[in-house]
Amino acid sequence: MSTHWKSYPTAQDAAVACARDILVSLDRAVRSRGRASLAVSGGSTPKLMFQAMAGAGFDWSHVHIFFVDERCVPPDHEESNYRLCREHLLEPARIAFANVHRMKGEVLAPQAIDEYVAEMAAFFGEGVPVFDVIHRGMGADAHTASLFPGEPLIHNRTLHAGYVYVQKLDRHRLTLTPATLLAARETMVLAAGADKADPLWQVFHGERDVERYPSQLDTPWAPWVTWYLDAAAAARLNG
Ligand code: 6PG
């Protein structure tokens, strides 16, 4: 079993393991620096992870929650990543509003990004934001964050966040950009489902083409990145 990816019987098992390791890393950060920063992604898989985190009895008082990406919708919209996190982590774990840094999907994208970059600078100071932990997922097209195949931002190493238009979704999105994603002290990638098996094999063993497979952003074997997979997603890797 590689130290870079771990396979679990079910999506629930993978989500619980990912949640456990995120909390261990956040606790270590609080003990060493007095506070911790976590950026979370959305989609469907994180719900189980959020629920495991909320139920762990963790002390969130010194942890600040940011977002890896957000759909350009209001915060109460069914597609909102913030709403998913609010319902399954922020409210159940009673995380203080002042510790939550929301990407404003309801605001015009350029303005929302300017505000978010400023909010990160207010917390991290100038320079690339260095998150203690970034949680990412991977789509069936190997996208991560909101960096979809063919998105030019995947090559950008100066912006800290940006906005994209996703043609196939007919939706604008806000996203952290590679400079910030790659600067994280630790990255945990949670991926589950049979539709992830082929893209995962491409990401780990296929041709290196980060514009085609944005989840190749960090080399799959990067020591600071750990993948948490269910058996269905890991099927080809386990083969
Ligand atoms: C989003 C996410 C996205 C997600 C993948 C995987 O806003 O959609 O941030 O990058 O991680 O799409 O989504 P699932 O967990 O639904 O497979």
Side-chain angles (χ1 to χ4, degrees):
M1 175 93 70
S2 157
T3 56
H4 299 288
W5 60 273
K6 305 174 182 177
S7 172
Y8 299 85
T10 67
Q12 171 75 23
D13 296 327
V16 167
C18 186
R20 178 200 62 219
D21 290 355
I22 287 176
L23 296 184
V24 167
S25 294
L26 292 176
D27 181 61
R28 184 167 57 236
V30 171
R31 291 176 190 278
S32 62
R33 287 184 290 278
R35 71 180 190 178
S37 52
L38 166 65
V40 296
S41 293
S44 56
T45 310
K47 175 180 173 181
L48 297 171
M49 181 189 77
F50 291 151
Q51 290 171 339
M53 292 162 80
F58 185 74
D59 175 7
W60 292 94
S61 57
H62 302 289
V63 179
H64 284 250
I65 308 284
F66 291 77
F67 289 82
V68 168
D69 61 346
E70 183 58 277
R71 292 83 181 278
C72 290
V73 295
D76 58 353
H77 191 282
E78 63 180 4
E79 290 184 26
S80 166
N81 289 342
Y82 168 78
R83 175 175 165 179
L84 180 79
C85 188
R86 175 176 57 78
E87 290 178 345
H88 300 289
L89 174 58
L90 302 181
E91 288 180 348
R94 301 179 187 280
I95 296 176
F97 181 79
N99 287 22
V100 180
H101 307 270
R102 183 174 68 84
M103 288 180 166
K104 295 179 180 174
E106 72 277 20
V107 168
L108 285 175
Q111 179 187 338
I113 287 301
D114 288 347
E115 290 183 14
Y116 206 68
V117 168
E119 184 149 358
M120 290 193 291
F123 183 85
F124 292 102
E126 292 311 313
V128 179
V130 178
F131 284 92
D132 291 298
V133 179
I134 288 184
H135 152 257
R136 289 193 277 136
M138 187 193 76
D141 58 2
H143 83 262
T144 192
S146 282
L147 300 170
F148 285 76
E151 172 52 55
L153 269 184
I154 194 77
H155 302 294
N156 187 298
R157 291 300 184 273
T158 54
L159 291 174
H160 299 166
Y163 60 92
V164 300
Y165 175 70
V166 186
Q167 183 83 35
K168 68 178 181 180
L169 302 175
D170 188 24
R171 172 76 76 201
H172 281 90
R173 288 192 175 196
L174 312 172
T175 186
L176 296 184
T177 42
T180 304
L181 296 173
L182 292 168
R185 292 188 174 92
E186 286 192 84
T187 294
M188 282 81 162
V189 185
L190 176 63
D195 62 338
K196 310 293 173 68
D198 287 342
L200 266 173
W201 190 91
Q202 289 295 345
V203 167
F204 276 68
H205 300 298
E207 64 169 318
R208 183 129 190 95
D209 181 352
V210 71
E211 190 162 324
R212 184 173 178 191
Y213 307 112
S215 289
Q216 287 182 339
L217 179 67
D218 13 58
T219 55
W221 316 109
W224 66 89
V225 181
T226 306
W227 295 66
Y228 298 79
L229 311 171
D230 70 349
R236 288 194 63 189
L237 298 179
N238 277 323

